[in-house]
C-alpha cells in the first residue's frame, strides 16, 4: 500500500509539472492571424500575446482559462466596426479569463450585450477600456410589451465573478425606439449590466454612458420606455463593490423615455457597496413619468455609501429638480457615512436611510483646485488656508495682487505701505487678511507670493 501511495503522489506531481510546462504563449498576429484562431488552438493556462494593431470581432472563449495581454489601450484594439458584439466568455471557472492592456471598442448588437458578454465565468480586466459600444433596436408593433433590453459595454450574467481594475467604461449606449402605438419596454445598463453575479470595481472610470428611449417620428401617444442604471444596472441578487472609482456624466434621456432610475448606479434586490468614490454630474432628463436617483437608486436590497462624493447629480420632472436627485432609497437598507452631497436640490436624498455620521449637505459644490475635496471641507480641516475668509483656499486666489494686474509686485507693495496702520480701504483693498488693519500679516502675504499670479 505504501508503494502504491508513493507512486500515486509521484504521478500527480509529474502531471502537475507537465501541465505547467505545457502552458505556452501564443502570439498574435505572428503565429496566429486572428485572436479567435489563437483561442481555438489554446489550452487552459495559455497566454495569448497580442501585438499593437486593430483586430476583428467577435471572439468567443468557452470553458478555457486564458490570459490575454495587449500592448496597451492606445495600441491594441478589438474592434466590432459597429457591426458585431466583441467578446463572449462562457462557462470559464477560476482562475478564469484575464484581460490586460486592451481596448474593446465599437461593439454593436440588436440583442442584449454589444461589448463583452460574460456568462457563468470568472473574468478579470486590468488596464482595459470598453468604449463606444451600442445595443439598439427598433420596435414596430401596436400594444406590445417587448420586455427588457440591456448591456451596452458589459453584460454580466448569473454565476459570474467579474473584476475591473484601472479600467475605463465609457460612451456606451443602449437605445430602444418605437414607432407604433402604446409599445412598452425597459432599457438597462448602458455601461454595465449585472444580474445575479459578483462585480468588483477598483479604480474604474464609468462615464458618459447613455440610455436612450425615443420614438421617430414622435406620435402623440403613451409609449413607455423606462431606463434603469445608465452607468451600472444591478439586479436579481447581484453583489456590486465599487471603490476608489469615478462614476460621472452618465445619462438617461429620450423624447419618449417614460422614467429614469439611477443615473450612475441602479440596484434592485441587490447589494451595493460604494467606498471612496466620486459620483458626479449624472443626469436623468426625460419629459414623462417620474425620475428617481440621478446618482444612485436602491430598492429591495442594501446600499452602503462611505467616504464618497455625490455632487451635481440631477433628476428632473419637466424643468423641476425632484426629491432624491442624488440618491433615491426606494426600499431595503441604505446607509451613508463620511460623504459629501451637494448641488442636487433641496432634498437630495429621498426615502428611508440611515446616517452613520459625517454626512454633509451643501447647495453648492466648489472645488477650485480640482482635487476632489470641497473647498469648505479643506478649509475646515485645516488642509487648506483661507487667510481672507473668502471661503476659497488661498492657493486658488492671488491674494497679494491687490491692484488686480495679474502679478504681485511693487505696485501692491507700495499700496500696503501707503495704507499701513489703517483699515486698508483706500485705492485698493489693502487689508488682505481681513483683520481690520493693514499690518505685518498683509506684508508677509505680499512677500511670500511675490511674482506672477499662478492662475
Amino acid at each position: 500500500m505504501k508503494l502504491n501511495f508513493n507512486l500515486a503522489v509521484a504521478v500527480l506531481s509529474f502531471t502537475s509539472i507537465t501541465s505547467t510546462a505545457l502552458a505556452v504563449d501564443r502570439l498574435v498576429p505572428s503565429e496566429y492571424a486572428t485572436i479567435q484562431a489563437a483561442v481555438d488552438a489554446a489550452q487552459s493556462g495559455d497566454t495569448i500575446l497580442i501585438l499593437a494593431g486593430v483586430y476583428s470581432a467577435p471572439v468567443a472563449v468557452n470553458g478555457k482559462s486564458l490570459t490575454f495581454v495587449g500592448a496597451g489601450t492606445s495600441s491594441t484594439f478589438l474592434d466590432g466596426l459597429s457591426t458585431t458584439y466583441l467578446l463572449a466568455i462562457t462557462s470559464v471557472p477560476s482562475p478564469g479569463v484575464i484581460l490586460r492592456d486592451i481596448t474593446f471598442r465599437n461593439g454593436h448588437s440588436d440583442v442584449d450585450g454589444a461589448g463583452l458578454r460574460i456568462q457563468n465565468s470568472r473574468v478579470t480586466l486590468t488596464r482595459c477600456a470598453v468604449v463606444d459600444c451600442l445595443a439598439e433596436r427598433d420596435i414596430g408593433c401596436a400594444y406590445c410589451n417587448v420586455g427588457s433590453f440591456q448591456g451596452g459595454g458589459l453584460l454580466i450574467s448569473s454565476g459570474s465573478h467579474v473584476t475591473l481594475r484601472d479600467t475605463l467604461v465609457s460612451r456606451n449606449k443602449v437605445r430602444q425606439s418605437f414607432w407604433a402605438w402604446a409599445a412598452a419596454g425597459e432599457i438597462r445598463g448602458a455601461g454595465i449590466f449585472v444580474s445575479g453575479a459578483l462585480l468588483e470595481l477598483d479604480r474604474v472610470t464609468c462615464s458618459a454612458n447613455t440610455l436612450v428611449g425615443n420614438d421617430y417620428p414622435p406620435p402623440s401617444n403613451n409609449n413607455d420606455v423606462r431606463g434603469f442604471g445608465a452607468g451600472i444596472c444591478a439586479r436579481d441578487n447581484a453583489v456590486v463593490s465599487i471603490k476608489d472609482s469615478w462614476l460621472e456624466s452618465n445619462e438617461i434621456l429620450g423624447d419618449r423615455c417614460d422614467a429614469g432610475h439611477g443615473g450612475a448606479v441602479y440596484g434592485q434586490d441587490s447589494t451595493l457597496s460604494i467606498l471612496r468614490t466620486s459620483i458626479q454630474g449624472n443626469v436623468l432628463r426625460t419629459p414623462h413619468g417620474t425620475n428617481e436617483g440621478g446618482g444612485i437608486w436602491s430598492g429591495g436590497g442594501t446600499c452602503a455609501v462611505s467616504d464618497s462624493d455625490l455632487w451635481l447629480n440631477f433628476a428632473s420632472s419637466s424643468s423641476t429638480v425632484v426629491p432624491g436627485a442624488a440618491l433615491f432609497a426606494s426600499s431595503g437598507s441604505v446607509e451613508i457615512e463620511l460623504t459629501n452631497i451637494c448641488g442636487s436640490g433641496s432634498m437630495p436624498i429621498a426615502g428611508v436611510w440611515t446616517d452613520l455620521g459625517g454626512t454633509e449637505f451643501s447647495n453648492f459644490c466648489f472645488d477650485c483646485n480640482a482635487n476632489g475635496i470641497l473647498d469648505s471641507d479643506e478649509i475646515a480641516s485645516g488642509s487648506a488656508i483661507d487667510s481672507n475668509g473668502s471661503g476659497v483656499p488661498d492657493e486658488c486666489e492671488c491674494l497679494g495682487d491687490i491692484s488686480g494686474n495679474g502679478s504681485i509686485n511693487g505696485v501692491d507693495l507700495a499700496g500696503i505701505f501707503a495704507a499701513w496702520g489703517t483699515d486698508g480701504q483706500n485705492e485698493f483693498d489693502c487689508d488682505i487678511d481681513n483683520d481690520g488693519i493693514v499690518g505685518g500679516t498683509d506684508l508677509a502675504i505680499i512677500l511670500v507670493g511675490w511674482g506672477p499670479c499662478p492662475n
Side-chain angles (χ1 to χ4, degrees):
M1 288 295 296
K2 185 175 182 180
L3 178 61
N4 290 339
F5 175 79
N6 289 338
L7 179 60
V9 170
V11 170
L12 288 173
S13 299
F14 177 77
T15 302
S16 176
I17 294 171
T18 303
S19 298
T20 302
L22 290 177
V24 298
D25 293 343
R26 301 182 183 273
L27 308 181
V28 179
S30 58
E31 292 181 336
Y32 301 91
T34 66
I35 297 174
Q36 187 63 60
V39 170
D40 293 341
Q43 302 295 321
S44 284
D46 287 358
T47 296
I48 297 174
L49 300 175
I50 309 168
L51 297 182
V54 179
Y55 298 89
S56 60
V59 172
V61 180
N62 194 334
K64 297 178 182 180
S65 288
L66 302 174
T67 297
F68 296 78
V69 181
T73 54
S74 62
S75 303
T76 301
F77 304 92
L78 181 64
D79 198 320
L81 300 177
S82 300
T83 61
T84 180
Y85 75 91
L86 302 177
L87 173 63
I89 301 172
T90 308
S91 301
V92 181
S94 292
V97 172
I98 297 172
L99 305 164
R100 291 204 301 264
D101 300 307
I102 303 168
T103 288
F104 302 88
R105 71 183 187 188
N106 298 327
H108 185 272
S109 179
D110 58 4
V111 296
D112 295 343
L116 278 64
R117 301 174 178 178
I118 301 170
Q119 181 177 4
N120 193 31
S121 296
R122 179 71 174 101
V123 179
T124 301
L125 286 81
T126 301
R127 297 187 303 274
C128 288
V130 182
V131 297
D132 299 317
C133 296
L134 171 62
E136 63 174 345
R137 65 181 177 187
D138 300 327
I139 305 299
C141 57
Y143 297 98
C144 63
N145 189 332
V146 297
S148 61
F149 188 47
Q150 55 244 342
L154 292 93
L155 177 73
I156 303 170
S157 301
S158 180
S160 296
H161 179 182
V162 177
T163 301
L164 280 67
R165 296 190 183 97
D166 301 299
T167 287
L168 173 67
V169 180
S170 185
R171 303 189 306 275
N172 303 289
K173 183 180 294 186
V174 174
R175 185 186 69 86
Q176 186 157 268
S177 295
F178 298 101
W179 50 271
W181 181 274
E186 296 183 356
I187 47 179
R188 308 168 177 166
I192 303 172
F193 177 82
V194 53
S195 175
L198 172 58
L199 172 64
E200 299 174 294
L201 277 65
D202 189 1
R203 300 182 303 277
V204 169
T205 298
C206 180
S207 65
N209 301 288
T210 309
L211 295 173
V212 183
N214 68 334
D215 304 313
Y216 61 97
S220 297
N221 61 27
N222 62 338
N223 284 2
D224 183 4
V225 187
R226 297 176 298 277
F228 299 86
I232 301 168
C233 179
R235 296 178 60 94
D236 306 322
N237 297 308
V239 177
V240 179
S241 171
I242 305 169
K243 65 179 182 179
D244 299 312
S245 294
W246 300 265
L247 280 64
E248 300 175 346
S249 303
N250 301 287
E251 189 171 17
I252 302 177
L253 55 87
D255 299 330
R256 291 285 170 180
C257 201
D258 178 69
H261 310 271
V265 184
Y266 173 89
Q268 175 68 60
D269 298 324
S270 295
T271 300
L272 304 177
S273 175
I274 300 170
L275 175 65
R276 296 188 303 272
T277 289
S278 172
I279 299 176
Q280 296 190 35
N282 302 282
V283 174
L284 309 181
R285 186 181 292 117
T286 66
H288 307 284
T290 302
N291 293 303
E292 300 171 341
I296 302 169
W297 191 99
S298 178
T302 64
C303 175
V305 182
S306 179
D307 198 13
S308 295
D309 296 320
L310 276 71
W311 294 2
L312 297 170
N313 297 289
F314 181 79
S316 69
S317 178
S318 298
S319 60
T320 303
V321 178
V322 299
L327 189 153
F328 193 93
S330 175
S331 60
S333 171
V334 175
E335 298 179 338
I336 305 175
E337 64 177 343
L338 301 173
T339 291
N340 290 311
I341 301 172
C342 67
S344 295
S346 59
M347 190 182 295
I349 301 179
V352 179
W353 62 285
T354 301
D355 185 357
L356 298 182
T359 301
E360 298 181 357
F361 295 88
S362 172
N363 290 327
F364 304 102
C365 305
F366 294 120
D367 178 18
C368 69
N369 52 14
N371 66 353
I373 304 174
L374 289 176
D375 294 344
S376 57
D377 287 344
E378 283 196 276
I379 293 168
S381 68
S383 59
I385 298 173
D386 179 20
S387 299
N388 63 348
S390 66
V392 179
D394 290 353
E395 65 181 279
C396 299
E397 297 183 294
C398 195
L399 291 183
D401 181 22
I402 58 177
S403 66
N405 65 1
S407 181
I408 302 174
N409 53 31
V411 175
D412 308 298
L413 184 61
I416 291 292
F417 287 137
W420 194 268
T422 72
D423 63 4
Q425 301 303 311
N426 55 3
E427 182 181 358
F428 308 128
D429 185 1
C430 299
D431 181 16
I432 301 172
D433 63 356
N434 285 331
D435 67 351
I437 189 169
V438 179
T441 303
D442 305 301
L443 176 60
I445 292 172
I446 292 285
L447 298 177
V448 169
W450 194 271
C453 290
N455 53 1

